[in-house]
Amino acid sequence: MPLNFTAIDFETANNAAASACSVGMVKVREGRVVDKTGWLIRPPLGVDHMLEWNTRIHGITAADIADAPLWCDQMDALLDFVDGDVLTAHNAGFDMGVLRAACEASAVPVPSLSYLCSLRVARKTYHLDSYRLPVAAMAAGFEDFLHHDALADAEACAAIVVHAAKRHDVSSMEDLARITGGALGLIGPAGETAAADRRPAVLG
């Protein structure tokens, strides 16, 4: 099977997992980036306040998202871009948590999707002092990007997965998951369990 996936990254407005304020996505087909997109999000009501600390991290202000469409108005566009792909994110537990929490806070169905954590992949592929996204991306040959810009982070994540797959000589996300210590994770409606979610220690 070819290496096809969508890398995704969320930034949040505050400490609430549901407070997604931007998303970046990168589509990979047969190990090559073929499309990318990203946009601002007005978080669900009740968690839509912007903390100064978060603005310092990602640069997004309350004014930036004041007129952005709500999460519930953007889910169709997000899912259209993903188009059923396996997702990948760096520290995927965070991003999958944002996806689930924002859907639940917006009273929209949590999509059923599989995912692979590029942090876990990096830890099983490289020997580094740190596996933070900028360091792991550098090991994959992806340097000088704007960390905490959602689209740039998604591009870095995609680069890690593509490079790791080449190093391990695998051509599918399922094989990459297996050779780096586990199965693909699953996110879905309440009641669905994810293999990766049951084994957080795999990330270490």
Side-chain angles (χ1 to χ4, degrees):
M1 289 182 286
L3 191 71
N4 297 337
F5 64 90
T6 294
I8 192 166
D9 182 82
F10 291 108
E11 300 297 327
T12 57
N14 53 64
N15 294 333
S19 69
C21 63
S22 71
V23 62
M25 295 181 287
V26 174
K27 185 166 290 292
V28 172
R29 286 290 176 270
E30 298 185 3
R32 295 181 179 275
V33 173
V34 297
D35 200 3
K36 55 188 175 181
T37 191
W39 54 75
L40 294 173
I41 301 165
R42 186 152 50 99
L45 299 176
V47 291
D48 52 348
H49 59 285
M50 181 67 72
L51 287 184
E52 181 184 352
W53 174 254
N54 292 61
T55 293
R56 272 193 244 161
I57 291 172
H58 50 53
I60 300 168
T61 67
D64 291 331
I65 60 173
D67 296 321
L70 284 163
W71 173 273
C72 59
D73 297 323
Q74 302 198 30
M75 262 312 281
D76 286 347
L78 188 153
L79 292 176
D80 283 348
F81 188 88
V82 172
D83 195 23
D85 277 354
V86 174
L87 296 177
T88 186
H90 205 70
N91 190 14
F94 170 81
D95 295 279
M96 297 308 107
V98 170
L99 180 56
R100 175 184 292 281
C103 286
E104 291 175 345
S106 303
V108 299
V110 179
S112 295
L113 295 165
S114 55
Y115 66 89
L116 178 62
C117 180
S118 64
L119 175 58
R120 187 184 85 194
V121 169
R123 283 176 167 159
K124 298 293 184 177
T125 303
Y126 312 118
H127 299 286
L128 305 170
D129 292 332
S130 166
Y131 292 90
R132 292 178 60 249
L133 183 58
V135 180
M138 186 176 296
F142 191 85
E143 303 180 34
D144 298 326
F145 68 98
L146 184 60
H147 188 28
H148 293 303
D149 173 89
L151 182 55
D153 282 0
E155 289 180 284
C157 174
I160 291 167
V161 170
V162 170
H163 186 258
K166 290 177 181 175
R167 291 224 3 199
H168 292 294
D169 193 25
V170 295
S171 58
S172 75
M173 295 296 278
E174 291 81 2
D175 286 344
L176 185 58
R178 175 184 50 78
I179 207 165
T180 55
L184 294 175
L186 297 172
I187 180 173
E192 289 191 17
T193 18
D197 289 341
R198 293 198 306 268
R199 296 195 310 272
V202 169
L203 296 180

